[in-house]
Amino acid sequence: MVVSHDPGTNPRPDAAASSAAPLPTSGTTPRTRVDGPVPAPRRLLDAAAGPLHPVARETLRAAVEVGWSDPDRLHTEGRRARALLDRAREVLASGLGVRPAEVSFLPSGPAALARAVDGVAYAARRRGARTVASAVEHSAVLVPGRARAAAADDATLLAEVPVDRWGRVELDAWREALAVPGTVVAALQSANGEVGTRQPLAEAYEPCAAHGIPLVVDAMASLGRDVVPTDWDVLVGDARSWGGPPLGVLVVREGVRWQWDRSRPDVEHGRADVTPWVPLALSAAEAWQQTSSTRSADARTTHALVDSIRAAAADVPDTEVVGDPDDRLPHVVTFSSLYVDGEAVVGAFDRAGFAVASGSACTSSTLEPSHVLAAMGALTHGNVRVTLPLPAVSPTVGEDVTAFTRALGPTVAGVRAELGAAAL
Amino acid sequence: MSAVSPESPGSREGPASPEAVLDARGERCPLPVIRLARLVHERPDVGRVVLLATDPAAAHDVPAWCRMRGHHYVEARPHGDHTAYVVEVRPSTPAGAH
């Protein structure tokens, strides 16, 4: 109920949305039409980038009316926008267990992640320039890290620590990498957004603290869906993971040496170059509030649904379910099938009504397969990735998963047969 | 492109396990691995396969296929614009086994 703090102009859409009458959810199209043929229902199993929580969508709409102004302006509209932005920051700070001054909004999660690493490295530039990261980190960590190493003609400036077959960082190698002199920043996910595996943050944080190396934790896949991490110096989130709009959240713990060389102290506590558009921050805070009350139940529900997908996929011949079966995000699962084209299997599921993603090469503009699957030694072709939506975003998620588990085997078999690989 | 050419018999693995070279250069995933599996399926006498590929996914998928099918992944040898992946076939592996 973020917008409702401005009783003068707020139309209070969230009050209506919270009542018994369910809003149409953006994740589903109508199941039936009175005119024309009945279309196959769309089943949303790729919620990594949305859609918005229905109440957050209404808040966004309302906030566009009341919170559009530049919060740095001194007129009434500007001051109202500032008050709403402050309120959004308070909501998220409270949810993350931090102080509002530690929270900054950035244009996107990946931008916030790159900034998080930059700020730690810049603050420590007189002591060294070396980054330690797991091999399955987000490309917002690995790509700039490789570029810095290449620009300095020094491959040791980025240590990519290997992971085990579940995608969990090898802790001995992690400790060894942190002990190398000149290491100034460490980056590790709370959990991987492609395969779901959680990282051992408590164990990984110990050597960081012992060496005085700040740990940046990328929680872009887990915030709002899993327990909030506590073992970090800098935390990064993306409001999309909890049903909010695309908005980066950067949290720098008080006392951590962090500095950005292009900082403007008046903008987002010196951690961003642009003030966020206030409606996005309000919508993100609303989504957080809406989902926080149902988080445990949602996690239990989706964890069980993922279990059923894992079981169904494991029953498909020559199919490997990837990632840790239990110590994982509740809502993410991926599997790879031998002799299956990733693009073809995504297309086949799409024609059957299922929206799924893939980490295979040839499913996007790149010829390179997912670096996460590659680092785990997993099969990269024939990959299917499911990111379950929050039940509030897609109330049919349970029946959609049931339908998916039934369609899985025949769909994979069909794609294999097209390639003449059925009997291999 | 289907240059399946039996070569000299493998000397260490026994006289009845010839080596085959499979040229999948220019083909994209999953075709190199499908052709590798088809060769092993149709030629049970072959004991060692050298797969030539340019697809970057082959670097991950050939070892993964070996692991899933119980074959032995020997090595990858870079050769300029392509890579030669060497696989030792374990003949007792039934199709569909993990």
Coordinates of all heavy atoms in Angstrom, one line a residue, chain A residues 14-81:
Chain A
D14 N -5.1 -0.1 -5.2 CA -4.6 -1.3 -4.6 C -5.7 -1.9 -3.6 O -5.7 -3.1 -3.3 CB -3.3 -1.1 -3.9 CG -3.2 0.3 -3.2 OD1 -4.3 0.9 -3.0 OD2 -2.1 0.7 -2.9
A15 N -6.4 -1.0 -3.0 CA -7.5 -1.4 -2.1 C -8.5 -2.3 -2.9 O -8.9 -3.3 -2.4 CB -8.2 -0.2 -1.5
A16 N -8.8 -1.8 -4.1 CA -9.8 -2.6 -4.9 C -9.1 -3.9 -5.3 O -9.8 -5.0 -5.3 CB -10.2 -1.8 -6.1
A17 N -7.9 -3.9 -5.6 CA -7.2 -5.1 -6.1 C -7.0 -6.1 -5.0 O -7.0 -7.3 -5.3 CB -5.8 -4.7 -6.7
S18 N -7.0 -5.6 -3.8 CA -6.7 -6.6 -2.7 C -8.0 -7.2 -2.3 O -8.0 -8.1 -1.4 CB -6.1 -5.8 -1.5 OG -4.9 -5.3 -1.9
S19 N -9.2 -6.7 -2.8 CA -10.4 -7.3 -2.4 C -10.6 -8.7 -3.1 O -9.8 -9.1 -3.8 CB -11.6 -6.4 -2.8 OG -11.7 -6.3 -4.2
A20 N -11.8 -9.2 -2.8 CA -12.0 -10.6 -3.3 C -12.0 -10.7 -4.8 O -11.7 -11.7 -5.4 CB -13.3 -11.2 -2.7
A21 N -12.4 -9.6 -5.5 CA -12.5 -9.7 -7.0 C -11.2 -9.8 -7.6 O -10.4 -8.9 -7.5 CB -13.3 -8.5 -7.5
P22 N -10.8 -10.9 -8.2 CA -9.5 -11.0 -8.8 C -9.4 -10.1 -10.1 O -10.3 -10.1 -10.9 CB -9.4 -12.5 -9.1 CG -10.8 -12.9 -9.3 CD -11.7 -12.0 -8.5
L23 N -8.2 -9.5 -10.2 CA -8.0 -8.8 -11.4 C -7.6 -9.8 -12.5 O -7.1 -10.8 -12.2 CB -6.8 -7.8 -11.2 CG -7.1 -6.6 -10.4 CD1 -5.8 -5.9 -10.0 CD2 -8.0 -5.6 -11.2
P24 N -7.8 -9.4 -13.8 CA -7.3 -10.2 -14.8 C -5.7 -10.2 -14.7 O -5.2 -9.1 -14.5 CB -7.8 -9.6 -16.1 CG -8.1 -8.2 -15.7 CD -8.5 -8.2 -14.3
T25 N -5.1 -11.4 -14.8 CA -3.7 -11.4 -14.6 C -3.0 -11.3 -16.0 O -3.6 -11.8 -17.0 CB -3.2 -12.7 -14.0 OG1 -3.5 -13.7 -14.8 CG2 -3.8 -12.9 -12.6
S26 N -1.9 -10.6 -16.0 CA -1.2 -10.4 -17.3 C -0.6 -11.6 -17.8 O -0.1 -11.6 -18.9 CB -0.2 -9.2 -17.1 OG 0.4 -9.3 -15.9
G27 N -0.5 -12.6 -17.0 CA 0.2 -13.8 -17.5 C -0.6 -14.8 -18.3 O -0.1 -15.7 -18.9
T28 N -1.9 -14.5 -18.3 CA -2.8 -15.5 -19.0 C -3.7 -14.7 -19.9 O -4.1 -13.6 -19.6 CB -3.6 -16.3 -18.0 OG1 -4.2 -15.3 -17.1 CG2 -2.8 -17.2 -17.2
T29 N -4.0 -15.3 -21.1 CA -5.0 -14.8 -21.9 C -6.3 -15.5 -21.6 O -6.3 -16.6 -21.0 CB -4.6 -15.0 -23.4 OG1 -4.3 -16.3 -23.6 CG2 -3.5 -14.1 -23.8
P30 N -7.4 -15.0 -22.1 CA -8.7 -15.7 -21.7 C -8.7 -17.1 -22.2 O -8.2 -17.4 -23.3 CB -9.7 -14.9 -22.5 CG -9.1 -13.5 -22.6 CD -7.7 -13.7 -22.7
R31 N -9.2 -18.0 -21.4 CA -9.1 -19.5 -21.8 C -10.1 -19.8 -22.9 O -10.0 -20.7 -23.6 CB -9.4 -20.3 -20.5 CG -8.3 -20.2 -19.5 CD -7.1 -20.9 -20.0 NE -5.9 -20.5 -19.3 CZ -5.2 -21.3 -18.5 NH1 -5.6 -22.5 -18.3 NH2 -4.2 -20.8 -17.9
T32 N -11.2 -19.0 -23.0 CA -12.2 -19.3 -24.0 C -12.7 -18.0 -24.7 O -12.6 -17.0 -24.1 CB -13.4 -20.0 -23.4 OG1 -13.9 -19.2 -22.3 CG2 -13.1 -21.4 -22.9
R33 N -13.1 -18.2 -25.9 CA -13.7 -17.0 -26.6 C -15.1 -17.5 -27.1 O -15.2 -18.6 -27.6 CB -12.8 -16.5 -27.7 CG -11.8 -15.6 -27.3 CD -11.2 -14.8 -28.5 NE -10.9 -15.6 -29.6 CZ -9.8 -15.5 -30.3 NH1 -8.9 -14.6 -29.9 NH2 -9.5 -16.2 -31.3
V34 N -16.0 -16.6 -27.1 CA -17.4 -17.0 -27.6 C -17.4 -17.0 -29.1 O -18.1 -17.8 -29.7 CB -18.5 -16.0 -27.0 CG1 -18.7 -16.3 -25.6 CG2 -18.1 -14.6 -27.3
D35 N -16.6 -16.2 -29.7 CA -16.6 -16.2 -31.2 C -15.3 -16.8 -31.7 O -14.2 -16.6 -31.2 CB -16.7 -14.8 -31.7 CG -15.6 -13.8 -31.2 OD1 -15.1 -14.2 -30.1 OD2 -15.4 -12.8 -31.8
G36 N -15.4 -17.6 -32.7 CA -14.2 -18.2 -33.3 C -13.8 -19.4 -32.6 O -14.3 -19.8 -31.6
P37 N -12.7 -20.0 -33.1 CA -12.1 -21.2 -32.5 C -11.6 -20.9 -31.1 O -11.1 -19.8 -30.8 CB -11.0 -21.7 -33.5 CG -10.6 -20.4 -34.2 CD -11.9 -19.5 -34.2
V38 N -11.6 -21.9 -30.3 CA -11.0 -21.8 -28.9 C -9.5 -21.9 -29.0 O -9.0 -23.0 -29.5 CB -11.6 -22.9 -28.0 CG1 -10.9 -22.8 -26.6 CG2 -13.1 -22.8 -27.9
P39 N -8.8 -20.9 -28.7 CA -7.3 -21.0 -28.8 C -6.8 -21.9 -27.7 O -7.4 -22.0 -26.6 CB -6.9 -19.5 -28.6 CG -7.9 -18.9 -27.8 CD -9.2 -19.6 -28.1
A40 N -5.6 -22.4 -27.9 CA -4.9 -23.1 -26.9 C -4.6 -22.1 -25.7 O -4.2 -21.0 -26.0 CB -3.6 -23.8 -27.4
P41 N -4.8 -22.5 -24.5 CA -4.5 -21.6 -23.4 C -3.0 -21.3 -23.4 O -2.2 -22.2 -23.7 CB -4.9 -22.4 -22.1 CG -4.9 -23.8 -22.5 CD -5.3 -23.8 -24.0
R42 N -2.6 -20.1 -23.1 CA -1.2 -19.8 -22.9 C -0.8 -20.2 -21.5 O -1.5 -19.8 -20.5 CB -0.9 -18.3 -23.1 CG -1.1 -17.9 -24.6 CD -0.2 -18.6 -25.5 NE 1.2 -18.5 -25.3 CZ 2.2 -19.1 -25.9 NH1 1.9 -20.1 -26.8 NH2 3.4 -18.9 -25.6
R43 N 0.3 -20.9 -21.3 CA 0.8 -21.3 -20.0 C 2.1 -20.7 -19.8 O 3.1 -21.1 -20.4 CB 0.8 -22.8 -20.0 CG -0.6 -23.5 -20.3 CD -0.6 -24.9 -20.0 NE -1.8 -25.6 -20.4 CZ -2.9 -25.7 -19.6 NH1 -2.9 -25.1 -18.4 NH2 -4.0 -26.3 -20.0
L44 N 2.2 -19.8 -18.8 CA 3.4 -19.0 -18.6 C 4.4 -19.8 -17.7 O 4.1 -19.9 -16.5 CB 3.1 -17.7 -17.9 CG 4.3 -16.9 -17.5 CD1 5.0 -16.4 -18.7 CD2 3.8 -15.7 -16.6
L45 N 5.4 -20.3 -18.3 CA 6.5 -21.0 -17.5 C 7.8 -20.4 -17.7 O 8.8 -21.0 -17.4 CB 6.5 -22.5 -17.9 CG 5.2 -23.3 -17.8 CD1 5.3 -24.7 -18.3 CD2 4.7 -23.3 -16.3
D46 N 7.8 -19.1 -18.0 CA 9.1 -18.4 -18.2 C 8.8 -17.0 -17.6 O 8.6 -16.0 -18.3 CB 9.5 -18.3 -19.6 CG 10.7 -17.4 -19.8 OD1 11.5 -17.2 -18.8 OD2 11.0 -16.9 -20.9
A47 N 8.9 -16.9 -16.3 CA 8.5 -15.6 -15.6 C 9.7 -14.9 -15.2 O 9.7 -14.0 -14.3 CB 7.6 -15.9 -14.4
A48 N 10.9 -15.1 -15.8 CA 12.1 -14.4 -15.4 C 12.0 -12.9 -15.6 O 12.6 -12.2 -14.8 CB 13.3 -15.0 -16.1
A49 N 11.3 -12.5 -16.6 CA 11.2 -11.1 -16.9 C 9.8 -10.5 -16.7 O 9.4 -9.5 -17.3 CB 11.7 -10.8 -18.3
G50 N 9.0 -11.1 -15.8 CA 7.6 -10.6 -15.6 C 6.7 -11.7 -15.8 O 7.0 -12.9 -15.9
P51 N 5.4 -11.4 -16.0 CA 4.8 -10.0 -15.9 C 4.7 -9.5 -14.5 O 5.0 -10.2 -13.5 CB 3.4 -10.3 -16.6 CG 3.1 -11.7 -16.2 CD 4.4 -12.4 -16.2
L52 N 4.2 -8.3 -14.4 CA 4.0 -7.6 -13.1 C 2.9 -8.3 -12.3 O 2.0 -8.9 -12.8 CB 3.5 -6.2 -13.4 CG 4.5 -5.2 -13.8 CD1 3.8 -3.9 -14.2 CD2 5.6 -4.9 -12.8
H53 N 3.2 -8.3 -11.0 CA 2.1 -8.7 -10.0 C 0.9 -7.7 -10.3 O 1.1 -6.5 -10.5 CB 2.6 -8.4 -8.6 CG 1.7 -9.0 -7.6 ND1 0.5 -8.4 -7.3 CD2 1.8 -10.0 -6.7 CE1 -0.1 -9.0 -6.3 NE2 0.7 -10.1 -5.9
P54 N -0.3 -8.3 -10.3 CA -1.5 -7.5 -10.7 C -1.6 -6.2 -9.8 O -2.0 -5.2 -10.4 CB -2.6 -8.4 -10.6 CG -2.1 -9.6 -9.9 CD -0.7 -9.7 -10.1
V55 N -1.3 -6.3 -8.6 CA -1.5 -5.1 -7.7 C -0.4 -4.1 -8.0 O -0.6 -2.9 -8.0 CB -1.5 -5.5 -6.2 CG1 -1.7 -4.2 -5.4 CG2 -2.6 -6.5 -6.0
A56 N 0.8 -4.6 -8.3 CA 1.9 -3.7 -8.7 C 1.6 -3.0 -10.0 O 2.0 -1.8 -10.2 CB 3.2 -4.5 -8.8
R57 N 0.9 -3.7 -10.9 CA 0.5 -3.0 -12.1 C -0.4 -1.9 -11.9 O -0.3 -0.8 -12.5 CB -0.1 -4.1 -13.0 CG -0.3 -3.6 -14.4 CD -0.7 -4.7 -15.4 NE -1.7 -5.6 -14.7 CZ -2.5 -6.4 -15.4 NH1 -2.5 -6.5 -16.7 NH2 -3.4 -7.1 -14.7
E58 N -1.4 -2.1 -11.0 CA -2.4 -1.1 -10.7 C -1.7 0.1 -10.0 O -2.0 1.3 -10.2 CB -3.5 -1.6 -9.8 CG -4.4 -2.6 -10.6 CD -4.9 -2.0 -11.9 OE1 -5.4 -0.9 -11.9 OE2 -4.7 -2.7 -12.9
T59 N -0.7 -0.3 -9.1 CA 0.1 0.8 -8.4 C 0.9 1.6 -9.4 O 0.9 2.8 -9.3 CB 1.0 0.2 -7.4 OG1 0.2 -0.5 -6.4 CG2 1.9 1.2 -6.7
L60 N 1.4 0.9 -10.4 CA 2.2 1.6 -11.4 C 1.3 2.6 -12.1 O 1.7 3.8 -12.3 CB 2.8 0.6 -12.4 CG 3.6 1.2 -13.5 CD1 4.8 2.0 -13.0 CD2 4.1 0.1 -14.5
R61 N 0.1 2.2 -12.5 CA -0.8 3.0 -13.2 C -1.2 4.2 -12.3 O -1.2 5.4 -12.8 CB -2.1 2.2 -13.5 CG -2.9 2.7 -14.7 CD -3.9 1.7 -15.0 NE -3.4 0.5 -15.8 CZ -4.1 -0.6 -16.0 NH1 -5.3 -0.8 -15.4 NH2 -3.6 -1.6 -16.7
A62 N -1.5 4.0 -11.1 CA -1.8 5.1 -10.2 C -0.6 6.0 -9.9 O -0.8 7.3 -9.9 CB -2.3 4.5 -8.8
A63 N 0.6 5.4 -9.8 CA 1.7 6.3 -9.6 C 2.1 7.1 -10.7 O 2.7 8.2 -10.6 CB 2.9 5.3 -9.2
V64 N 1.8 6.7 -11.9 CA 2.0 7.5 -13.1 C 1.2 8.8 -13.0 O 1.7 9.9 -13.4 CB 1.6 6.8 -14.4 CG1 1.6 7.7 -15.6 CG2 2.6 5.6 -14.6
E65 N 0.1 8.7 -12.3 CA -0.8 9.9 -12.1 C -0.2 10.9 -11.0 O -0.2 12.1 -11.2 CB -2.2 9.5 -11.7 CG -2.9 8.7 -12.8 CD -3.1 9.5 -14.1 OE1 -3.4 10.7 -14.0 OE2 -2.9 8.9 -15.2
V66 N 0.3 10.3 -10.0 CA 0.6 11.1 -8.8 C 2.1 11.2 -8.6 O 2.6 12.1 -7.8 CB 0.0 10.6 -7.5 CG1 -1.6 10.6 -7.7 CG2 0.5 9.2 -7.2
G67 N 2.9 10.3 -9.2 CA 4.3 10.3 -8.8 C 5.2 10.6 -10.0 O 6.4 10.2 -10.0
W68 N 4.7 11.2 -11.0 CA 5.5 11.4 -12.3 C 6.6 12.4 -12.2 O 7.5 12.4 -13.0 CB 4.5 11.8 -13.4 CG 3.7 13.0 -13.0 CD1 2.5 12.9 -12.5 CD2 4.1 14.4 -13.1 NE1 2.0 14.2 -12.2 CE2 3.0 15.1 -12.6 CE3 5.2 15.0 -13.6 CZ2 3.0 16.5 -12.5 CZ3 5.2 16.4 -13.5 CH2 4.1 17.2 -13.0
S69 N 6.5 13.3 -11.2 CA 7.4 14.4 -11.2 C 8.9 14.0 -10.8 O 9.1 13.0 -10.2 CB 6.9 15.5 -10.2 OG 7.7 16.6 -10.3
D70 N 9.8 15.0 -11.1 CA 11.2 14.8 -10.7 C 11.3 15.0 -9.2 O 10.9 16.1 -8.7 CB 12.0 15.8 -11.5 CG 13.5 15.7 -11.1 OD1 13.9 15.1 -10.1 OD2 14.3 16.3 -11.9
P71 N 11.7 14.0 -8.4 CA 11.7 14.2 -7.0 C 12.7 15.2 -6.5 O 12.7 15.6 -5.3 CB 12.0 12.8 -6.5 CG 12.6 12.1 -7.6 CD 12.1 12.7 -8.9
D72 N 13.6 15.7 -7.4 CA 14.5 16.8 -7.0 C 13.9 18.2 -7.1 O 14.5 19.2 -6.7 CB 15.8 16.7 -7.9 CG 16.5 15.5 -7.6 OD1 16.5 14.9 -6.5 OD2 17.2 15.0 -8.6
R73 N 12.7 18.3 -7.7 CA 12.0 19.6 -7.8 C 11.4 20.0 -6.5 O 11.1 19.2 -5.7 CB 11.0 19.5 -8.9 CG 11.5 19.3 -10.3 CD 12.2 20.6 -10.8 NE 12.5 20.5 -12.2 CZ 13.6 20.0 -12.8 NH1 14.6 19.6 -12.0 NH2 13.7 20.0 -14.1
L74 N 11.3 21.4 -6.3 CA 10.9 21.9 -5.0 C 9.4 22.2 -5.0 O 8.8 22.6 -4.0 CB 11.7 23.1 -4.7 CG 13.2 22.9 -4.5 CD1 13.9 24.2 -4.2 CD2 13.4 21.9 -3.4
H75 N 8.7 22.0 -6.2 CA 7.3 22.3 -6.2 C 6.5 21.2 -5.5 O 7.0 20.1 -5.2 CB 6.8 22.7 -7.6 CG 7.3 21.7 -8.7 ND1 7.1 20.4 -8.6 CD2 8.0 22.0 -9.8 CE1 7.6 19.8 -9.7 NE2 8.2 20.8 -10.4
T76 N 5.2 21.4 -5.4 CA 4.3 20.4 -4.8 C 4.4 19.1 -5.4 O 4.6 18.0 -4.7 CB 2.9 20.9 -4.8 OG1 2.8 22.2 -4.2 CG2 1.9 20.0 -4.1
E77 N 4.4 19.0 -6.7 CA 4.4 17.7 -7.4 C 5.8 17.0 -7.2 O 5.8 15.8 -7.0 CB 4.2 17.9 -8.9 CG 2.8 18.4 -9.3 CD 2.5 19.9 -9.0 OE1 3.5 20.6 -8.7 OE2 1.4 20.3 -9.2
G78 N 6.8 17.8 -7.2 CA 8.2 17.2 -7.0 C 8.3 16.7 -5.6 O 8.9 15.7 -5.3
R79 N 7.8 17.5 -4.6 CA 7.9 17.0 -3.2 C 7.0 15.8 -3.0 O 7.4 14.9 -2.2 CB 7.5 18.2 -2.3 CG 8.5 19.3 -2.2 CD 8.3 20.1 -0.9 NE 7.0 20.7 -0.9 CZ 6.7 21.9 -1.4 NH1 7.6 22.6 -1.9 NH2 5.4 22.4 -1.3
R80 N 5.9 15.7 -3.7 CA 5.1 14.5 -3.6 C 5.8 13.3 -4.1 O 5.9 12.2 -3.5 CB 3.8 14.7 -4.3 CG 2.8 13.5 -4.2 CD 1.7 13.5 -5.2 NE 0.9 14.7 -5.0 CZ 0.3 15.4 -5.9 NH1 0.5 15.0 -7.2 NH2 -0.4 16.4 -5.7
A81 N 6.5 13.5 -5.3 CA 7.3 12.4 -5.9 C 8.4 12.0 -4.9 O 8.7 10.8 -4.7 CB 7.8 12.8 -7.2

